[in-house]
Amino acid sequence: MGMTITEKIFANKLGRDVKPGEFVEVDVDIALANDITAPLGIKEFRRVYNGKVFDNNKIVLVPDHFTPNKDIKSAEQVKYVREFALEKNIKYFFDGGEVGVEHALLPEKGIVLPGDVVIGADSHTCTYGALGAFSTGVGSTDFAACMIYGKAWFKVPETIKFYYFGELKPWVDGKDLILYTIGKIGVDGALYKAMEFTGPIIKKLPMHARFTMCNMAIEAGGKSGIIEPDEITIEYVKERAQREYKIFKSDNNAEYFNEIKIDVSEVDPQVAFPHLPENSKSVYEAKGIKIDQVFIGSCTNGRYEDLEIAAKVLKGERVAKNVRMIILPATPEIYKMALKNGLIEIFLEAGAIVGPPSCGPCLGGHLGILAEGERAISTSNRNFVGRMGHPKSEVYLSNPAVAAASGVAGEIVHPEEII
Amino acid sequence: MIYKGKAWKFGDDIDTDAIIPARYLNTSDPAELAKHCMEDADPEFVKKMSKGDIIVAGENFGSGSSREHAPISIKACGISCVIAKSFARIFFRNCFNIGLPILEAPEAVDEIEEGDELEINFQTGEIKNLTKNKIFKAQPIPDFMQELVKKGGLLNYVVERVAG
């Protein structure tokens, strides 16, 4: 019997074949934490061990959640991380103007690569599956353990194959495909499973959309999302890679837990209603829902192409009165490119607020919190109760084009109504 | 270990933002996190519960963020054990890593009502509903994870490995 790409990545690390359900301990290529999860991990590391880290070139610390620091407590947290990073000579510690949203930053810098095993003390670590890596979210204690011995334990997951075919409608992007998929299988539809995205639509999908899809595997309960590397992946990786990498592909006779076929011809731009990502519907069904705030950014949709799409909608338009539109480019590089190519000017002319790279409002951290009864449309990944602020506020999830168009209209609309 | 306490029931898909909202994540102090445990699922929870009580929930408990602050807040506020129909995977992992006992027991969850007195044997997975006089068996815990529990958590296991 053949193996899936996920099984092959584990097999490569162990030097033998693996089967789903096995418990394995494997070497980790990159271990990541942020300003919320790293302090707990570092505290535990110092409590039980406090020697040298297993490899100071394989640990990544990105204080991106509450930075630029929103209050004294969060500044203390980052200070604690900074002191550790300097003491242990951590190569990939990003500070101040180097900070970007971690899951946009690491691929952009070529730190995570095809064939890697990556753990991150952040649930959206599954994003890097878009590069053909096995990548998954863990907790702070797993991160601490990995800093000590360079390994992590896993139950080799079964894989669900998602096969996308048909023809994409205008304004449909990776976000819509993944929201539609989560709507189909539910927020625990892929619990403990690897989600492998395949088919003719995926083969043509640009990297930014692949990142968006793998990013939200966790919202279906998935352990990881993954896409086989191809020319598009290699084109993205080749200029950025900081080291050697390995390409794995699923065997034709690999065994899958399940296969789900999705005809994209029937997929409109999606909007996920409160308070679960699985509540996704066609944007036409959301038409007319009034909004107070728009957020364009996050590890899901804060990449350059996302901003480009938003700019296409916003060019020459004006954000509706009494609506706040907040745009956070996900990394400094993206910000610079958006500035150079005139996107930032379009945003400012439209009356949007352009802020620093940060997770910011996505998790109700800062830079745009919702008041009681307020409603936002957001390009981020979660619309849980209280996610972006007051427990009685509401979040609708969408792609950047729908979010931008809705900001102009003051209510949720299909982008075709604006352009 | 035997845990005895009153059941507090919650529904499906209780996410980690509901267990400990991000507005409290500017600290990792367990005592501070405990004050806000389950706040966005039930704002009165911390006031109502007593030490040793047990959370009983539906499917996919602990979904969403990887924040270990969620199981820490549950443990620190005095909850002795969580029973659910199923757990989200990062939360499941985190509980073993920090030593919060959890059990998967779909039938038990259906039969337990809020306020029932429960007695749980974590080793055997036996759940006694003392109020209703019924006994249930939880899903067995995989050997590898039992090993972690025996060692007193992941870090003890790893430190022992490194020293050995």
Side-chain angles (χ1 to χ4, degrees):
Chain A
M1 190 49 77
M3 287 191 283
T4 65
I5 174 171
T6 301
E7 289 152 20
K8 281 191 180 174
I9 292 170
F10 282 113
N12 172 59
K13 290 284 177 199
L14 292 164
R16 62 169 176 87
D17 284 5
V18 297
K19 279 201 164 27
E22 257 190 77
F23 281 82
V24 296
E25 251 178 314
V26 296
D27 289 335
V28 166
D29 293 291
I30 290 293
L32 159 79
N34 59 49
D35 50 324
I36 291 179
T37 56
L40 258 176
I42 293 168
K43 199 161 77 182
E44 287 299 286
F45 177 91
R46 289 203 190 281
R47 182 176 66 79
V48 300
Y49 180 74
N50 208 24
K52 275 193 177 168
V53 297
F54 85 104
D55 187 338
N56 60 344
N57 299 318
K58 291 185 176 177
I59 293 164
V60 184
L61 294 167
V62 189
D64 59 353
H65 277 57
F66 293 158
T67 53
N69 287 130
K70 64 166 183 157
D71 55 20
I72 294 167
K73 281 182 173 176
S74 63
E76 297 287 348
Q77 299 256 78
V78 173
K79 186 178 163 201
Y80 185 67
V81 176
R82 186 181 295 117
E83 283 167 358
F84 179 83
L86 296 178
E87 178 192 319
K88 305 291 179 195
N89 197 21
I90 302 297
K91 181 177 174 190
Y92 297 120
F93 167 59
F94 295 88
D95 204 5
E98 302 166 334
V99 171
V101 176
E102 50 196 344
H103 308 309
L105 189 68
L106 269 61
E108 179 190 282
K109 297 279 183 202
I111 295 169
V112 286
L113 293 168
D116 280 357
V117 169
V118 182
I119 62 162
D122 187 280
S123 60
H124 293 108
T125 302
C126 51
T127 309
Y128 315 133
L131 297 165
F134 173 79
S135 191
T136 193
V138 297
S140 298
T141 301
D142 280 303
F143 174 71
C146 187
M147 286 202 293
I148 297 169
Y149 84 140
K151 290 176 191 287
W153 65 269
F154 302 101
K155 186 171 160 186
V156 177
E158 293 173 302
T159 299
I160 304 177
K161 187 186 206 173
F162 293 87
Y163 183 89
Y164 298 86
F165 67 100
E167 206 168 323
L168 286 176
K169 289 186 185 180
W171 301 104
V172 170
D173 208 345
K175 183 63 161 289
D176 307 296
L177 298 182
I178 193 65
L179 284 177
Y180 183 84
T181 304
I182 298 165
K184 225 172 151 72
I185 67 171
V187 290
D188 60 355
L191 199 59
Y192 301 106
K193 306 282 193 294
M195 300 172 78
E196 187 175 326
F197 304 116
T198 67
I201 294 298
I202 304 298
K203 291 252 174 293
K204 287 183 287 187
L205 212 58
M207 281 314 295
H208 79 275
R210 294 182 183 190
F211 284 123
T212 304
M213 288 190 73
C214 290
N215 173 271
M216 288 190 71
I218 180 70
E219 309 316 333
K223 183 169 198 156
S224 58
I226 198 158
I227 295 173
E228 271 185 8
D230 56 16
E231 315 76 62
I232 293 174
T233 326
I234 292 164
E235 185 59 32
Y236 180 87
V237 164
K238 69 179 184 200
E239 300 290 318
R240 307 165 193 267
Q242 303 278 321
R243 58 192 155 84
E244 301 270 304
Y245 56 89
K246 279 190 179 169
I247 304 283
F248 296 101
K249 298 199 180 224
S250 293
D251 291 324
N252 288 331
N253 61 344
E255 206 172 330
Y256 290 90
F257 174 77
N258 194 3
E259 183 170 340
I260 295 170
K261 290 198 159 99
I262 292 172
D263 182 357
V264 303
S265 318
E266 59 188 49
V267 179
D268 288 320
Q270 299 286 299
V271 173
F273 284 52
H275 291 285
L276 287 175
E278 71 183 17
N279 299 335
S280 55
K281 296 178 187 176
S282 159
V283 63
Y284 295 113
E285 290 181 55
K287 190 178 156 53
I289 294 171
K290 298 260 182 263
I291 49 159
D292 303 288
Q293 183 168 303
V294 181
F295 172 48
I296 299 174
S298 84
C299 58
T300 312
N301 279 124
R303 295 182 181 78
Y304 182 77
E305 293 81 354
D306 297 317
L307 301 189
E308 214 175 21
I309 294 162
K312 200 167 141 189
V313 174
L314 290 171
K315 189 163 187 180
E317 300 290 345
R318 191 79 199 157
V319 174
K321 205 168 161 50
N322 302 324
V323 172
R324 292 118 30 203
M325 182 182 287
I326 296 159
I327 303 178
L328 306 184
T331 70
E333 274 310 307
I334 295 168
Y335 201 143
K336 267 193 276 181
M337 230 167 113
L339 187 65
K340 198 173 125 207
N341 296 339
L343 271 51
I344 302 294
E345 196 178 340
I346 292 171
F347 297 152
L348 294 174
E349 287 294 332
I353 303 158
V354 181
S358 177
C359 303
C362 166
L363 74 161
H366 61 153
L367 302 170
I369 304 297
L370 299 176
E372 181 171 355
E374 285 193 326
R375 197 179 283 142
I377 189 161
S378 172
T379 67
S380 53
N381 40 55
R382 287 188 179 134
N383 52 355
F384 299 156
V385 172
R387 175 70 180 180
M388 293 182 76
H390 195 280
K392 286 187 181 137
S393 59
E394 288 185 345
V395 180
Y396 289 71
L397 304 174
S398 77
N399 74 25
V402 172
S406 303
V408 172
E411 58 183 50
I412 299 179
V413 292
H414 192 294
E416 69 197 5
E417 293 199 27
I418 301 297
I419 283 203
Chain B
M1 272 302 279
I2 307 283
Y3 305 105
K4 211 167 158 181
K6 203 159 72 170
W8 294 97
K9 279 207 87 169
F10 292 89
D12 293 340
D13 303 316
I14 299 294
D15 59 75
T16 52
D17 281 87
I19 298 170
I20 183 78
R23 55 186 178 275
Y24 305 120
L25 295 186
N26 54 6
T27 175
S28 55
D29 175 22
E32 199 54 43
L33 296 170
K35 288 183 199 162
H36 305 289
C37 180
M38 306 302 286
E39 187 168 302
D40 282 2
D42 176 359
E44 302 298 310
F45 179 71
V46 175
K47 283 183 219 155
K48 295 189 296 194
M49 55 88 52
S50 313
K51 201 167 160 8
D53 282 356
I54 293 155
I55 289 178
V56 178
E59 305 278 2
N60 202 23
F61 187 80
S63 58
S65 156
S66 68
R67 60 188 72 154
E68 225 162 81
H69 310 65
I72 289 173
S73 76
I74 293 175
K75 194 179 170 189
C77 84
I79 288 291
S80 63
C81 181
V82 182
I83 306 172
K85 288 189 178 178
S86 66
F87 292 94
R89 66 158 280 278
I90 306 178
F91 184 87
F92 186 78
R93 206 181 162 99
N94 286 346
C95 289
F96 278 88
N97 287 345
I98 69 147
L100 172 67
I102 56 171
L103 290 170
E104 274 185 4
E107 302 82 23
V109 171
D110 281 334
E111 296 279 336
I112 294 167
E113 283 180 83
E114 181 142 309
D116 285 356
E117 284 292 328
L118 308 178
E119 187 183 295
I120 292 164
N121 183 325
F122 187 65
Q123 264 69 36
T124 63
E126 192 175 84
I127 300 165
K128 274 190 203 162
N129 187 335
L130 302 174
T131 308
K132 297 210 163 63
N133 201 20
K134 278 187 179 169
I135 295 177
F136 302 93
K137 195 95 177 148
Q139 302 284 339
I141 295 159
D143 292 347
F144 181 85
M145 304 191 79
Q146 279 189 27
E147 191 60 29
L148 290 186
V149 176
K150 262 188 231 154
K151 300 268 184 208
L154 177 68
L155 286 174
N156 288 350
Y157 165 82
V158 168
V159 168
E160 208 173 281
R161 280 274 303 269
V162 173

